[in-house]
Every structure is written in structure tokens, then in C-alpha cells.
Amino acid sequence: MRIAFVLFDGITFLDFAGFYDVIRRLGNFEAGHGLEMDICGFREEVQDEQGLTVDQQGSAGTGAI
């Protein structure tokens, strides 16, 4: 199974981090074997609702869990 996390301007990074952590930990369980994820966005730099900017630098977040 493949999951894509799509980042966009105005996102709440706390919500993203919580969901990312749960999905990443699935790799420790049988249900998460074969799971792949990709962090992507509409732009290379994404800014949250408070002004925090994250540079994605391509598909650095891609990989199997």
C-alpha cells in the first residue's frame, strides 16, 4: 500500500506530525509491512498557519516503512 502526505500552505504541522508518527510506526507491525509513503507538496517550500517554513527538497520523504 502507498500513502502520500500532501503538504500545502496553511497546513497545521502538528496535525501532520501526529499522523506521520502513527503511519511510520505501523512498520513495526504486520499490518504495516509493505507500506510505502511519500511526502509531497505543491511547492518545494511550504508554510504553516503560524509562518513555519519547511523545505521538502524533492522526494526526500519517500520510502518503505
Side-chain angles (χ1 to χ4, degrees):
M1 177 188 296
R2 294 191 65 174
I3 296 175
F5 296 100
V6 181
L7 301 181
F8 53 90
D9 283 333
I11 190 171
T12 303
F13 280 126
L14 182 59
D15 292 343
F16 165 72
F19 187 71
Y20 171 83
D21 187 52
V22 170
I23 298 302
R24 184 186 59 80
R25 290 174 189 261
L26 273 177
N28 296 328
F29 301 96
E30 186 177 337
H33 290 228
L35 186 63
E36 295 180 15
M37 65 177 161
D38 188 19
I39 300 171
C40 53
F42 298 106
R43 299 181 353 191
E44 283 190 28
E45 287 189 357
V46 177
Q47 191 172 64
D48 79 350
E49 82 284 0
Q50 298 295 317
L52 176 66
T53 301
V54 171
D55 184 357
Q56 300 181 80
Q57 295 189 2
S59 57
T62 302
I65 296 178

